[in-house]
Amino acid sequence: MAQGKDRVVLAYSGGLDTSVAIGWIGEQTGMEVVAVAVDVGQGGEDMQVVRQRALDCGAVEAYVADARDEFATEYCMPALKANALYQDSYPLVSAISRPVISKHLVRAARQFGATTVAHGCTGKGNDQVRFEVSITSMAPDLKTIAPVRDLALTRDVAIDYANKHHLPIETTRNNPFSIDQNVWGRAIETGFLEDIWNAPTKDVYNYTDDPTYPPLPDEVVIHFEKGIPTAIDGRPVTPLEAIQEMNRRAGAQGIGRIDVVEDRLVGIKSREIYEAPGAIALIAAHKELENVTVERELARYKKRVDERWGELVYDAQWFSPLKKALDAFIEDTQEYVTGDIRMTLHGGRATVTGRRSESSLYDFNLATYETGDSFDQSYSRGFIEIYGLSARLAAARDVRFGKGLQVGEGSL
Ligand code: ARG
C-alpha cells in the first residue's frame, strides 16, 4: 500500500452498528474499510447477503470466512474437555468465539494490507478486551479501534446515520436485547433484564423450547474418543455435527437455559441470560465419562485446572502462555476418556442413565456387595488405624488441655 489510503479490517456482523461503522470509520479516520464476516454457526441471515450489505454500505472489500468447523473443533472441543462453565454456569459462548474471529480478522488484515482492526464492541464489556488482546497476541503491530467506544458511534447516531444515508438495514429504536450467538450457544442481555428481579420472558429464548411442557423423553447415546464426541446413537459425527444435533434435541427439551449475575473482567456485575442446550448436555455427558475413566487424584486436580481454564478464557487470555500450558495438562487427562454415555433428555434436564467404557476404572468386583467381591475388607481396619492416627493424637491432646470435644450428655 505505497500511496493508497490506510485500510482497516472491520469485524462485520451485518447488523445496524457494524453496517453504519463502515461509513462512519471512513468519515472519521479517512481509512478504507474491509468488512470481514465470520461464520461461527450463528445462523440467521445467509452470509452472502451479509457480504453484499457490507459492500452496499461502502466497504472496499467484503469477505466471509466459514469458520464453523474450525470453531467447533478448535474452540468448542477444548471448552468441552475443560467442562468449561464460568462461575459454575456459563459455557463461555461469546468468550470462545472472539479468539477465532480475531484470527480471521488478522488473516484478512495481512491479505488486504490493513494496519488496523475494528470491532463493534462497547467500552463496558468483556468482548472488547477479548478482541484486542487476541489480536495483539497474534499481531502486535496491528492497531485496533472500536467505533462505538472510540468514535462516539452511539445507537441513536447509528440509526440517524443509517436513515440519512439510506443504508440497506432495518433501523429500530426498540429492539430491547443485545444478542450474541454461535453454535455453542446464545447470550442475551440488556433491556428489562437489567432489573435483576425481572424474570426472562418467552421472547428471550430462541435455541430452546419451554421445558414446562416438554415432548416425550429423548434417549441418546453419545460416544466419546479422548474427550470428543464422535458418534451419536451409533452414527459418526464431526464435532460441529455433534453440537448441532445436541442443540436440536436438547433444545427441544428446554435444556441449557441459564440466568445468572456474572462478574465481568471490567469489574461490573451484569445479568446475563444464556441458552446452550448442546453445550450443557455434552458437558454433562463428558463429565460423567470422566468420572468413570479418570483416576481420582487426577480428577480432583483437573477440576481446579478446569475452573482456572474457564476464568482465563473468560478473561481474554485464550492465546496466553498459561492457557496454553493448561491445555496441555487437560489434553493429557483425556487419554482414556473414551466410551459411551447414555442420557435421557427431558423437561429441561439431561440425566445420565448409563456409562460404558473399555478404559473404565470402575471395577464391578471391587464395588459389588454381592458374591464375587474381590475387595479384602480386612485391610480396611489397618488402613483406618493409620489414616486416623493424626486426628487421634490431636484429639488426645485436646483432652489433656481440657478442650476435648463436647458431645453432650446422655446416651451416645
Ligand atoms: N457476558 C458474556 C461474555 O462476556 C456474553 C456477552 C455477549 N454479548 C452480547 N452482546 N450479548 O462472554
Side-chain angles (χ1 to χ4, degrees):
M1 297 278 96
Q3 233 86 56
K5 287 182 176 180
D6 253 4
R7 287 184 153 191
V8 50
V9 164
L10 169 69
Y12 184 64
S13 71
L16 173 68
D17 295 319
T18 53
S19 294
V20 169
I22 294 172
W24 190 257
I25 293 173
E27 282 179 19
Q28 304 283 314
T29 69
M31 288 192 280
E32 287 180 342
V33 176
V34 175
V36 173
V38 184
D39 188 351
V40 283
Q42 60 269 47
E45 282 189 307
D46 183 279
M47 291 307 271
Q48 290 312 317
V49 173
V50 170
R51 177 175 180 276
Q52 188 56 47
R53 182 173 311 131
L55 295 171
D56 294 342
C57 289
V60 289
E61 305 265 8
Y63 162 92
V64 174
D66 180 355
R68 288 174 300 168
D69 281 301
E70 177 187 7
F71 178 58
T73 304
E74 295 174 30
Y75 297 80
C76 302
M77 291 302 108
L80 176 60
K81 290 178 189 173
N83 301 314
L85 294 172
Y86 179 67
Q87 293 186 323
D88 299 324
S89 47
Y90 165 44
L92 299 177
V93 173
S94 304
I96 58 173
S97 78
R98 303 318 178 192
V100 69
I101 295 170
S102 297
K103 201 178 230 180
H104 286 275
L105 296 174
V106 168
R107 191 174 293 163
R110 298 303 186 218
Q111 191 177 331
F112 295 105
T115 58
T116 308
V117 174
H119 59 76
C121 302
T122 72
K124 291 179 73 167
N126 299 313
D127 287 329
Q128 53 172 344
V129 191
R130 296 174 185 144
F131 275 124
E132 293 176 33
V133 173
S134 294
I135 288 161
T136 208
S137 303
M138 286 180 279
D141 58 303
L142 288 179
K143 292 182 288 241
T144 47
I145 185 169
V148 176
R149 181 192 65 194
D150 305 331
L151 304 175
L153 183 57
T154 61
R155 193 127 257 255
D156 287 339
V157 169
I159 291 170
D160 292 340
Y161 186 97
N163 288 334
K164 192 167 142 226
H165 292 81
H166 308 290
L167 297 186
I169 176 91
E170 231 182 282
T171 58
T172 149
R173 282 176 207 271
N174 50 25
N175 179 6
F177 305 124
S178 163
I179 293 166
D180 182 52
Q181 63 188 52
N182 58 55
V183 74
W184 200 235
R186 188 163 174 269
I188 309 100
E189 46 185 335
T190 73
F192 72 93
L193 297 170
E194 286 173 355
D195 180 337
I196 62 178
W197 185 247
N198 283 343
T201 46
K202 286 183 189 310
D203 60 325
V204 165
Y205 298 108
N206 178 258
Y207 282 17
T208 52
D209 291 331
D210 189 340
T212 315
Y213 304 102
L216 290 174
D218 181 8
E219 190 178 89
V220 61
V221 175
I222 305 174
H223 179 73
F224 289 86
E225 293 280 338
K226 294 189 196 283
I228 290 185
T230 57
I232 295 181
D233 294 332
R235 275 171 290 103
V237 286
T238 64
L240 178 64
E241 289 164 348
I243 302 165
Q244 287 170 330
E245 177 163 349
M246 292 310 293
N247 273 342
R248 211 162 43 242
R249 292 171 67 173
Q253 297 284 347
I255 292 163
R257 290 186 171 187
I258 299 144
D259 179 348
V260 67
V261 171
E262 152 189 317
D263 281 308
R264 283 192 192 164
L265 175 53
V266 296
I268 298 170
K269 281 192 188 289
S270 71
R271 199 273 187 90
E272 310 276 342
I273 306 289
Y274 301 106
E275 36 179 4
I280 293 299
L282 285 168
I283 289 171
H286 177 261
K287 264 190 183 168
E288 182 59 12
L289 188 57
E290 286 192 337
N291 286 344
V292 175
T293 56
V294 179
E295 184 271 337
R296 181 187 66 197
E297 295 309 313
L298 183 57
R300 288 178 175 174
Y301 201 83
K302 180 175 185 286
K303 203 161 182 275
R304 293 199 239 163
V305 172
D306 287 347
E307 186 178 23
R308 191 73 192 102
W309 190 96
E311 289 168 353
L312 287 168
V313 170
Y314 186 89
D315 288 346
Q317 299 291 323
W318 181 272
F319 295 105
S320 74
L322 178 55
K323 145 78 171 51
K324 187 163 160 275
L326 297 189
D327 276 335
F329 172 87
I330 292 171
E331 193 54 42
D332 194 72
T333 65
Q334 301 300 290
E335 176 73 22
Y336 294 111
V337 186
T338 296
D340 294 329
I341 292 292
R342 189 180 59 229
M343 286 196 302
T344 298
L345 313 173
H346 194 239
R349 301 177 58 125
T351 311
V352 174
T353 62
R355 16 0 223 151
R356 180 166 65 187
S357 167
E358 296 281 313
S359 43
S360 168
L361 293 173
Y362 178 85
D363 183 331
F364 178 87
N365 291 324
L366 285 176
T368 187
Y369 287 97
E370 316 278 311
T371 43
D373 184 359
S374 63
F375 185 91
D376 187 341
Q377 298 190 28
S378 69
Y379 290 163
S380 290
R381 248 190 118 74
F383 167 72
I384 297 164
E385 193 69 29
I386 292 177
Y387 183 73
L389 185 55
S390 72
R392 188 200 313 208
L393 291 172
R397 180 183 57 190
D398 281 344
V399 170
R400 271 191 280 123
F401 281 76
K403 292 184 178 170
L405 197 62
Q406 297 303 312
V407 291
E409 299 296 316
S411 54
L412 252 185

